Amino acid sequence: MGTIKSGERKLQILQALAQMLEEPHGEKITTAALARRLAISEAALYRHFASKAQMFEGLIEFIETSVFGVINQITEREESGLLQAQSVSMLLLNFAERNPGMTRVMIGDALVNEDSRLQLRMNQFFDRIELTLRQCLRVAISQGRAPEEMATVRSNLIMSYLIGKLFRFVKTQFREKPTNNMPEQISFMLS
């Protein structure tokens, strides 16, 4: 049996943490519970992460990299500002549906009683998405496809809608999918 490289073990730890977050009525996520799930010692966890907060930071980095990597592709490839805004919105909801545990991190549900800087970082994530939506709508305005005065109002409305869909997904224990009626609802907000 070969040894597991440090990077592989870190990834295993983050995957196990994400899986634990997907359990609607799972046990409280402690380093002891995480170590048990991985069949390793807590000391082994701390060889890879200095704290549980650092583990959550790893999940947040995954969320940011995944979402903003695709957003950059959308804004580079799509010329229509309205289609950019629609694609960014749909991306966030599809990402959440595929990653329920990460959605708990995104809305802060999994960050309760954790370091407050983690919630601040997720707040900044949503601020960046709203800024991206505003920029997409400004492109739409310059293309004559949206009313001039509405970029800020509309981007805020869309962001509130997206956060609400994520919140509802988590609070219904992942039964109410964030993508339910998504195309029609987003089209309505952008019309």
Side-chain angles (χ1 to χ4, degrees), residues 93-122:
L93 297 181
N94 280 308
F95 176 85
E97 192 166 309
R98 285 190 310 270
N99 300 283
M102 300 292 184
T103 307
R104 288 190 60 209
V105 174
M106 290 165 66
I107 68 160
D109 185 66
L111 303 178
V112 173
N113 301 321
E114 299 298 333
D115 191 313
S116 61
R117 70 186 154 78
L118 297 171
Q119 184 60 60
L120 179 63
R121 189 163 169 187
M122 284 316 312

Side-chain angles (χ1 to χ4, degrees), residues 16 21 48 52 85 89 93 104 108 131 136 142 166 168-169 178-179:
L21 289 168
H48 300 284
K52 191 164 67 162
S89 301
L93 297 181
R104 288 190 60 209
L131 178 62
C136 295
S142 73
L166 301 181
R168 189 167 183 190
F169 182 47
T179 58

Side-chain angles (χ1 to χ4, degrees), residues 8-80:
E8 291 173 9
R9 176 62 81 190
K10 282 181 99 165
L11 184 58
Q12 285 179 339
I13 292 167
L14 293 176
Q15 287 172 335
L17 178 57
Q19 288 170 349
M20 290 175 78
L21 289 168
E22 290 180 15
E23 298 167 7
H25 295 295
E27 60 186 307
K28 181 178 182 333
I29 297 178
T30 62
T31 53
L34 183 58
R36 270 194 312 278
R37 170 152 310 199
L38 290 162
I40 61 175
S41 69
E42 278 187 84
L45 285 178
Y46 288 115
R47 280 195 287 276
H48 300 284
F49 294 98
S51 64
K52 191 164 67 162
Q54 200 176 69
M55 293 175 208
F56 278 110
E57 283 177 342
L59 293 180
I60 292 170
E61 285 171 21
F62 173 80
I63 294 165
E64 291 170 339
T65 302
S66 300
V67 171
F68 289 113
V70 177
I71 284 175
N72 290 337
Q73 293 173 11
I74 290 168
T75 57
E76 287 172 13
R77 292 182 185 159
E78 181 55 60
E79 290 182 26
S80 166

